Amino acid sequence: MKIKSGVVALILAMTTCSASAHNKNLEKYGDIAQFGIPLTAGAISLYKGDTEGLFQLAEGALYTAVATHVIKFSVNAERPNGGDHSFPSGHTSAATQGAAYLQFRYGWEYGVPAYAAAALVGYSRVDSKHHYWRDVAAGAALATGIQYVVSEMGYSMSNYVISPYVKGDEVGLYASINF
């Protein structure tokens, strides 16, 4: 009887240890992949000689990061672990922006694996108690929406011109947008 209970205890201990190690590895994956997915998207664009796409990737990343952090600090939702700035998930929005870029620019052949990798980033954030599912869903939706506007609708910084002007006693800003 002692041998059986000892074996059961050993199996439970090994399962608990491996589950704990797995969670830390999953969390580390999320920390790395939030940058790795967009960087991989950039490498693909460089390999293809797609400088226009590379600019769309960078622009989408900038808009996504700014929007995510403005919302994060405006809402200041509490994290499951008690920390601040839970909503939306920045890791997920960064990863999903790279995936959305790949899908919009190069099609589902690139998008599906990238979205799967981004979904795992989102899962890692919930699993590690840094976010709720709503935070992850909001980060993914925000990033996809912004990249859609940049890649599919064509809204780009290169379409806007804002410059100051001084003419005699007049001082102002000149603004122009191309559609």
Side-chain angles (χ1 to χ4, degrees):
M1 202 62 158
K2 275 190 163 184
I3 294 175
K4 284 185 182 178
S5 63
V7 170
V8 170
L10 180 62
I11 290 171
L12 285 174
M14 286 172 35
T15 304
T16 305
C17 290
S18 66
S20 176
H22 174 73
N23 289 342
K24 289 191 183 295
N25 289 336
L26 183 61
E27 184 176 0
K28 186 178 231 178
Y29 165 82
D31 291 340
I32 294 168
Q34 71 169 323
F35 300 113
I37 295 168
L39 287 173
T40 300
I44 290 168
S45 292
L46 284 172
Y47 177 76
K48 290 179 171 282
D50 184 6
T51 54
E52 178 186 26
L54 193 59
F55 186 74
Q56 287 179 356
L57 174 67
E59 197 167 12
L62 174 66
Y63 296 160
T64 298
V66 168
T68 298
H69 286 87
V70 164
I71 294 168
K72 215 178 239 304
F73 283 86
S74 297
V75 173
N76 194 19
E78 186 176 332
R79 294 175 184 267
N81 63 12
D84 293 333
H85 311 298
S86 182
F87 182 88
S89 168
H91 282 63
T92 306
S93 67
T96 303
Q97 181 270 327
Y101 165 78
L102 286 169
Q103 189 266 311
F104 293 134
R105 191 72 184 176
Y106 304 120
W108 286 103
E109 300 83 11
Y110 289 85
V112 168
Y115 277 126
L120 190 56
V121 171
Y123 177 76
S124 78
R125 303 306 290 164
V126 174
D127 184 66
S128 64
K129 305 287 189 238
H130 288 289
H131 288 288
Y132 297 102
W133 281 111
R134 66 176 180 249
D135 306 332
V136 167
L142 179 67
T144 302
I146 289 172
Q147 195 62 51
Y148 177 82
V149 167
V150 171
S151 293
E152 296 294 304
M153 296 179 68
Y155 288 98
S156 171
M157 286 188 286
S158 64
N159 294 340
Y160 304 100
V161 174
I162 299 175
S163 62
Y165 76 89
V166 178
K167 183 178 177 184
D169 290 343
E170 293 179 24
V171 176
L173 287 176
Y174 168 79
S176 173
I177 184 171
N178 295 323
F179 292 97

